[in-house]
């Protein structure tokens, strides 16, 4: 994590910070996996209201998405997860984003309102994980790529201009959310470092 070096922590503080970050990330990864397992299938009511003709197809996709959380829970208990724990903040939001992208593509609508689900994958995960700049950039880039791959094939050159307007509107909304999250993550990281340094000082004073 190059951001730690920029924070000017001592070597001992860096090691302690990384240990805390690893434990929090693994614990939060389990929470995110359970959210996928429990919440994704319950959103099937949205499919019934928005795309009743694709209800059973979307239900199958939601079940497969929920089942994908089980291998993650198993992986979190393995030793290699501790050494590679930083991959989970990227993998966990991308998994539901892939299935949402499939739903958007199957719907045949470039202006599908399910773009909000992709935004939720990013924003919701930001409340669960402490992203690094690199992880956030990778996650946002992958989600945007999924969105474009799902919507651009459904664009019709001679289609309704209002549909194109909605597509542009949705795209801008997703991009703006990504920009805001990227900027706010920098400030959030600085706050985490200050809180950590403050705790270290209090602990040192108590020991003295």
């Amino acid at each position: 994590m190059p951001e730690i070096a920029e924070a000017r922590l001592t070597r001992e503080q860096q090691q302690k910070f990384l240990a805390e970050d690893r434990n929090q990330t693994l614990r939060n990864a389990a929470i995110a996996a359970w959210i996928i397992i429990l919440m994704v299938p319950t959103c099937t009511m949205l499919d019934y209201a928005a795309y009743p003709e694709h209800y059973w197809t979307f239900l199958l996709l939601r079940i497969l998405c929920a089942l994908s959380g089980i291998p993650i829970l198993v992986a979190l208990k393995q030793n290699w997860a501790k050494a590679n724990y930083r991959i989970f903040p990227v993998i966990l939001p991308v998994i539901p984003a892939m299935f949402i992208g499939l739903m958007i593509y199957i719907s045949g609508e470039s202006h599908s309102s399910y773009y909000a689900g992709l935004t939720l994958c990013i924003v919701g995960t930001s409340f669960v994980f402490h992203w690094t700049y690199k992880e956030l950039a990778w996650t946002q880039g992958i989600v945007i790529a999924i969105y474009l791959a799902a919507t651009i094939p459904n664009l019709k050159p001679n289609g309704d201009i209002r549909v194109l307007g909605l597509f542009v509107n949705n795209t801008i909304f997703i991009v703006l959310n990504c920009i805001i999250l990227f900027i706010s993550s920098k400030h959030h990281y600085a706050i985490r470092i200050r809180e950590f340094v403050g705790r270290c000082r209090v602990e040192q004073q108590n020991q003295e």
Side-chain angles (χ1 to χ4, degrees):
M1 297 176 66
E3 297 92 337
I4 296 180
E6 298 175 3
R8 298 180 181 178
L9 299 178
T10 65
R11 186 175 183 83
E12 182 180 355
Q13 288 176 336
Q14 289 182 20
Q15 293 176 348
K16 184 176 180 181
F17 183 86
L18 287 174
E20 288 187 4
D21 185 65
R22 180 177 62 249
N23 293 335
Q24 290 177 357
T25 300
L26 292 175
R27 181 176 64 251
N28 293 343
I31 295 174
W34 278 111
I35 291 175
I36 292 175
I37 293 172
L38 298 177
M39 290 192 62
V40 171
T42 60
C43 293
T44 186
M45 62 186 72
L46 300 177
D47 306 329
Y48 185 78
Y51 300 105
E53 68 277 16
H54 299 300
Y55 175 77
W56 294 109
T57 301
F58 287 4
L59 177 61
L60 176 61
L61 291 175
R62 290 187 180 278
I63 292 174
L64 292 175
C65 181
L67 292 176
S68 67
I70 297 176
I72 294 178
L73 290 175
V74 175
L76 289 171
K77 298 180 180 179
Q78 308 303 316
N79 292 330
W80 67 267
K82 295 182 179 180
N84 303 280
Y85 69 98
R86 294 309 318 179
I87 66 173
F88 293 104
V90 177
I91 291 176
L92 282 161
V94 167
I95 290 176
M98 290 176 58
F99 285 94
I100 294 174
L102 280 173
M103 293 179 188
I104 294 176
Y105 176 77
I106 293 173
S107 73
E109 295 181 350
S110 60
H111 60 291
S112 173
S113 60
Y114 277 24
Y115 81 95
L118 297 175
T119 302
L120 183 62
C121 290
I122 300 176
V123 176
T125 309
S126 68
F127 288 100
V128 179
F129 288 112
H130 300 299
W131 267 319
T132 64
Y133 308 153
K134 185 177 180 179
E135 292 164 0
L136 185 57
W138 271 104
T139 304
Q140 291 180 344
I142 294 172
V143 171
I144 291 176
I146 290 173
Y147 169 73
L148 295 177
T151 54
I152 289 179
N154 292 330
L155 281 174
K156 297 177 176 61
N158 299 322
D160 191 340
I161 189 65
R162 291 175 297 179
V163 172
L164 179 61
L166 288 172
F167 167 74
V168 173
N169 176 80
N170 297 347
T171 303
I172 293 175
F173 188 80
I174 291 178
V175 172
L176 289 178
N177 270 275
C178 290
I179 293 174
I180 292 173
L181 281 176
F182 192 84
I183 295 174
S184 62
S185 68
K186 181 177 181 180
H187 297 285
H188 179 68
Y189 182 82
I191 293 173
R192 287 186 63 203
I193 292 295
R194 288 198 296 269
E195 291 178 347
F196 176 77
V197 172
R199 285 192 288 110
C200 289
R201 289 174 180 173
V202 171
E203 291 176 1
Q204 184 177 0
Q205 291 174 356
N206 291 336
Q207 291 176 357
E208 293 176 353

